[in-house]
Amino acid sequence: MRRKISVLRRTARVVTMPFTRFPRAPSLARAFLGCTLVLAVYPAHSDDQNPPGLAGIRSDINAKDLARIRGVTEPTGDFSKSEAFELMPGGAGTTKKRPNQDAFSQSSANITFEEEATFKLGNGLFRKVWVSAPSSTQASDGLGPLFNARACQSCHLKDGRGHPPEGAADSTSMFLRLARAADTEEEKRAVADHRALNFPDPVYGSQLQDLAVPGLAGEGRMKIAYEEIPVTLSDGTKLSLRKPTYSVENLGYGPLDPRTTLSPRVTPQMIGLGLVEQIHPADILALADPDDKNGDGISGKVSIVRDGATGELTLGRFGWKAQTPSIREQSADAFAGDIGISTPEVPKSWGDCTEAEAACLAMPVGVQERLGPVEAPPPVMDLVAFYSQNLAVPARRNMDKPNVLAGKKLFYESGCISCHHPKFVTRKDAPNKAQSFQLIWPYSDFLLHDMGEDLADGQQVGVATGSEWRTPPLWGVGLTKRVNGHTFFLHDGRARNLTEAILWHGGEAQAARDTFAGLSAADRQNLIDFLESL
């Protein structure tokens, strides 16, 4: 059983120093004034890869807190019963409402009555259907001109997981990222300095938009061809994996650049995002081992990006390639790329239209002078961000059943937790008390891992190579069918169930995948039962 996490925690050290050394921490002053500030200092995996100010120091806790955190987040070795607080994977914000089709749309259980009203207003804007400009509904116009969806909820179906086009279903909850790697020395410096993630197609931009406002042609349609790949497990069980190939048809503005790569992305579920945002960077940095110094075959690395608001280096933790540092920035990118709505963070009123798409740039936009220079002004972003930060994680189910406990043991002993790290305690100085100092169970390390050539998209995104992906959280994975009516998994939905998703794992996850493939049918089912209890 791999215990990289335990090794890192055992080698953590504690440094104490007077609080006066930190004059720029007014939010902490009330908690620690007159005390000694205790920093949890983890071994930096590589100083040249850590952003300035994020060198593995957790500055929000004292010695007592540190001891508590180390105790409760240590992976368990007792699988005879469930763990304390395991019922509540989202901490005090966990929703205990009956898990039905709205299981991912509940508000955090620990927000205030006033915040509940803010959450509902944000929900209304998340579901808001935007229309093309000009329109009599001036608060709702500005769609496109090129777009993939008319509302946030159209992509994040029931706040859950998207799917590839199946039968008569369209591709609303799945789209193609368009990008090429750096060519020139200037472009390479921009990527190295984290000023660019990659470079868009010169005609079609960074995302293929298949829809357009009246009078304008869409950019094209995503086409998927599947090949069935037979797989035989060690006990003789025969399965089939579907291997997709992607292309674009009906291009409306000429050919794609030959250097442009296509990366399919299904929309991820929305639960627990505010808690993920409040995991202290030191706890993520502590799990990184990009050079595999401990020799366990797992070499996760942090995604370093620039904060869109401040320009400072920080950790990316959202998106399939961990390319986005905050929920607000993720929301703004989606407004611009998916719907074509400008925000203060991304003031692109023509969305992803490029100079080569002159007809798009000639279309009217929805900017109202009385509301400011963008289509979705700051109050809209405040409400949408708050809503996204407070979608609750559902309570666990069946966690004390013998088959689930047996599956949990297999999941841990197979090495799955080397990437799907079970637990964190969020930072104590979180801006909202609802996310402060919560024990959470996302089952992710939020690091980038090489998943092998079979899952590679060939598209570099910042520090992420074409075969690297962020470990997706597993909380709520067992409710996907109930909420979204399907069981398609992985970044492109190629896996039709959890078993297929595991069997597609390669690269750093090859050993864990092979262990799963070598289990008996009963043991494999127990492991799946554990995942479906999350």
Side-chain angles (χ1 to χ4, degrees), residues 311-325:
E312 295 178 356
L313 292 177
T314 186
L315 297 187
R317 59 182 81 194
F318 299 105
W320 285 105
K321 299 266 190 177
Q323 70 272 18
T324 311

Side-chain angles (χ1 to χ4, degrees), residues 302-317:
V302 295
S303 173
I304 299 174
V305 298
R306 288 199 180 272
D307 185 288
T310 66
E312 295 178 356
L313 292 177
T314 186
L315 297 187
R317 59 182 81 194

Side-chain angles (χ1 to χ4, degrees), residues 364-426:
V365 297
V367 174
Q368 309 295 328
E369 186 175 346
R370 61 188 174 83
L371 298 177
V374 295
E375 293 155 323
V380 171
M381 291 302 297
D382 292 342
L383 292 168
V384 170
F386 185 86
Y387 174 75
S388 302
Q389 288 165 339
N390 286 282
L391 284 163
V393 179
R396 284 285 303 279
R397 303 156 311 286
N398 305 320
M399 62 182 189
D400 285 308
K401 288 191 173 182
N403 58 318
V404 171
L405 290 169
K408 179 181 178 181
K409 184 173 188 288
L410 290 165
F411 184 84
Y412 279 52
E413 293 183 345
S414 297
C416 301
I417 65 168
S418 293
C419 300
H420 291 284
H421 178 59
K423 294 173 278 185
F424 292 92
V425 172
T426 61

Side-chain angles (χ1 to χ4, degrees), residues 234-254:
S234 61
D235 64 355
T237 299
K238 296 184 182 298
L239 301 172
S240 181
L241 303 179
R242 60 175 189 173
K243 179 181 179 181
T245 301
Y246 297 93
S247 59
V248 180
E249 58 185 0
N250 301 327
L251 284 167
Y253 301 87

Side-chain angles (χ1 to χ4, degrees), residues 78-111:
D78 180 4
F79 303 99
S80 64
K81 61 184 184 302
S82 61
E83 298 174 67
F85 311 113
E86 194 171 0
L87 175 67
M88 308 286 281
T94 303
T95 176
K96 293 185 178 180
K97 292 187 177 181
R98 184 175 181 180
N100 55 22
Q101 194 176 14
D102 295 319
F104 293 164
S105 300
Q106 306 301 323
S107 61
S108 299
N110 60 341
I111 60 175

Side-chain angles (χ1 to χ4, degrees), residues 172-326:
T172 295
S173 60
M174 181 177 179
F175 56 84
L176 289 175
R177 290 279 193 204
L178 310 176
R180 64 171 175 82
D183 280 340
T184 67
E185 289 303 315
E186 182 180 358
E187 289 177 344
K188 291 176 182 177
R189 285 194 297 270
V191 172
D193 193 39
H194 309 288
R195 290 181 286 109
L197 296 173
N198 49 35
F199 299 91
D201 184 86
V203 174
Y204 293 94
S206 60
Q207 187 168 315
L208 185 77
Q209 279 96 18
D210 55 346
L211 302 174
V213 300
L216 188 68
E219 291 184 320
R221 304 287 295 185
M222 174 173 56
K223 183 178 179 181
I224 312 175
Y226 289 109
E227 175 189 1
E228 292 292 335
I229 307 295
V231 175
T232 301
L233 305 184
S234 61
D235 64 355
T237 299
K238 296 184 182 298
L239 301 172
S240 181
L241 303 179
R242 60 175 189 173
K243 179 181 179 181
T245 301
Y246 297 93
S247 59
V248 180
E249 58 185 0
N250 301 327
L251 284 167
Y253 301 87
L256 287 165
D257 189 290
R259 299 168 297 173
T260 296
T261 56
L262 308 178
S263 181
R265 310 285 177 87
V266 297
T267 49
Q269 63 190 25
M270 299 279 291
I271 59 173
L273 296 183
L275 295 167
V276 173
E277 195 169 41
Q278 295 308 319
I279 297 173
H280 199 286
D283 290 344
I284 296 176
L285 289 165
L287 300 176
D289 185 18
D291 301 318
D292 192 21
K293 291 182 178 178
N294 63 1
D296 69 349
I298 309 298
S299 51
K301 69 183 185 184
V302 295
S303 173
I304 299 174
V305 298
R306 288 199 180 272
D307 185 288
T310 66
E312 295 178 356
L313 292 177
T314 186
L315 297 187
R317 59 182 81 194
F318 299 105
W320 285 105
K321 299 266 190 177
Q323 70 272 18
T324 311
S326 70

